[in-house]
């Protein structure tokens, strides 16, 4: 499973050709389009369970500027947490975590902790009404997805504790 996680992380940040790199770098970030692609990727997961396809779809999108990454992670986690099927949530969490791998082109590591805290402080309180199982989802599904980043010390202990406390 750890090897599968590493493959997904590589796919999320890897671009195949120099022309694709150039194309992604010249595209400006479109918040609405990015969120739409996240929704489409989750829909793809729901219908086909194809994590690689969803990762490829997201990897083809321009990366959010650093100042948007924490908010986008929080929004992504909120959308993933609302999925009704545990397998889809787990795959979605793995995709979100994959943006923070150590591969060049990854999202800014500091955005991970900030996005997780934003999710805990803002989104999770609102979600709890619609997703009563949210505490268990965080503990049993999100935290294990973050485990691969824990080794790289990308998830500060305070953030991990905040997730456990909200769980």
């Amino acid at each position: 499973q750890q090897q599968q996680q590493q493959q997904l992380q590589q796919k999320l940040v890897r671009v195949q050709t120099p022309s694709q790199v150039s194309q992604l770098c010249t595209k400006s970030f479109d918040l609405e389009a990015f969120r739409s692609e996240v929704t489409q990727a989750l829909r793809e997961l729901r219908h086909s369970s194809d994590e690689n396809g969803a990762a490829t779809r997201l990897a083809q999108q321009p990366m959010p500027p650093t100042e948007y990454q924490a908010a986008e992670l929080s929004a992504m986690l909120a959308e993933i947490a609302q999925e009704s099927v545990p397998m889809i949530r787990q795959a979605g969490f793995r995709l979100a975590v994959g943006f923070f791998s150590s591969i060049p082109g990854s999202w800014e590591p500091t955005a991970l902790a900030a996005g997780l805290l934003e999710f805990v402080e803002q989104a999770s309180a609102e979600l709890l009404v619609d997703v009563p199982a949210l505490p268990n989802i965080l503990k049993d599904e999100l935290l294990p997805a973050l485990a691969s980043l824990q080794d790289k010390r990308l998830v500060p202990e305070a953030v991990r504790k905040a997730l456990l406390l909200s769980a």
Side-chain angles (χ1 to χ4, degrees):
Q1 186 176 9
Q2 188 174 15
Q3 183 180 14
Q4 182 185 21
Q5 177 71 19
Q6 288 173 339
Q7 289 172 339
L8 284 172
Q9 288 172 345
Q10 289 173 348
K11 188 169 282 271
L12 278 169
V13 297
R14 185 183 65 214
V15 180
Q16 308 262 333
T17 66
S19 65
Q20 287 175 313
V21 171
S22 175
Q23 183 181 16
L24 289 177
C25 290
T26 58
K27 284 185 180 179
S28 61
F29 178 69
D30 180 340
L31 177 65
E32 199 170 300
F34 181 79
R35 288 187 177 179
S36 175
E37 285 301 318
V38 168
T39 299
Q40 292 299 325
L42 290 174
R43 185 173 295 137
E44 186 173 324
L45 276 173
R46 216 177 296 125
H47 294 291
S48 69
S49 301
D50 181 8
E51 280 185 64
N52 285 324
T56 299
R57 176 182 210 110
L58 292 176
Q60 293 171 344
Q61 298 307 304
M63 182 172 53
T66 303
E67 63 269 18
Y68 287 96
Q69 291 176 3
E72 288 315 297
L73 175 63
S74 178
M76 198 180 314
L77 294 176
E79 187 165 350
I80 293 165
Q82 294 177 71
E83 287 292 326
S84 60
V85 179
M87 185 180 83
I88 303 305
R89 283 193 309 265
Q90 292 164 6
F93 288 140
R94 285 191 297 270
L95 287 173
V97 167
F99 283 117
F100 296 94
S101 69
S102 59
I103 299 166
S106 300
W107 288 20
E108 188 64 37
T110 57
L112 176 65
L116 289 169
L117 284 175
E118 183 176 318
F119 175 72
V120 167
E121 293 170 356
Q122 296 174 11
S124 66
E126 295 172 18
L127 278 177
L128 198 51
V129 174
D130 296 325
V131 186
L134 185 63
N136 290 333
I137 290 169
L138 296 180
K139 182 178 66 135
D140 298 336
E141 298 171 18
L142 178 56
L143 284 173
L146 291 167
S148 66
L149 300 179
Q150 190 72 23
D151 296 340
K152 299 173 187 169
R153 303 201 187 280
L154 294 179
V155 183
E157 189 59 29
V159 173
R160 191 172 145 16
K161 285 181 181 178
L163 284 167
L164 284 171
L165 288 175
S166 67

